[in-house]
């Protein structure tokens, strides 16, 4: 769960990051994609990053949004395939 504005003001940056982001390597492992793909998704705006202390963190919100977009695209593709199959009969 994301921190409220009041909670955020009272947190240190490391605590804020632990609550709202994951280290790059954890994002790579969780998403099961290559490290270079994560960087490409950052450049493309699909994932958001925070840099702190020489480390790159990926926001939990952007990971959630990315996963939602994958589900939505898969659902659309299934619908297109079903319509195409129906037309073929």
């Amino acid at each position: 769960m994301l921190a409220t504005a009041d909670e955020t003001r009272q947190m240190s940056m490391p605590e804020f990051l632990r609550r709202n982001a994951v280290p790059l390597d954890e994002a790579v492992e969780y998403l099961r994609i290559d490290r270079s793909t994560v960087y490409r998704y950052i450049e493309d705006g699909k994932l958001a990053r925070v840099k702190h202390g020489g480390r790159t963190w990926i926001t939990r919100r952007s990971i959630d949004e990315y996963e939602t977009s994958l589900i939505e695209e898969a659902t659309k593709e299934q619908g297109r395939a079903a319509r195409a199959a129906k037309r073929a009969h």
Side-chain angles (χ1 to χ4, degrees), residues 28-59:
V28 166
E29 186 177 317
Y30 175 77
L31 294 170
R32 296 181 182 207
I33 56 178
D34 191 68
R35 186 181 184 94
S36 62
T37 302
V38 170
Y39 281 114
R40 188 174 68 242
Y41 287 175
I42 291 168
E43 288 178 27
D44 294 345
K46 293 179 182 178
L47 292 172
R49 77 171 174 200
V50 176
K51 294 198 75 155
H52 179 71
R55 294 185 71 190
T56 299
W57 298 70
I58 307 301
T59 66

Side-chain angles (χ1 to χ4, degrees), residues 74-89:
T75 302
K76 287 179 190 175
E77 185 59 36
Q78 288 173 348
R80 286 190 287 266
R83 286 188 298 279
K86 191 174 183 179
R87 284 192 300 266
H89 287 285

Side-chain angles (χ1 to χ4, degrees), residues 5-22:
D6 287 338
E7 290 172 333
T8 299
R9 282 190 282 278
Q10 296 172 6
M11 282 186 235
S12 66
M13 185 61 159
E15 184 180 356
F16 174 81
L17 285 173
R18 281 192 298 277
R19 285 192 179 195
N20 297 290
V22 296

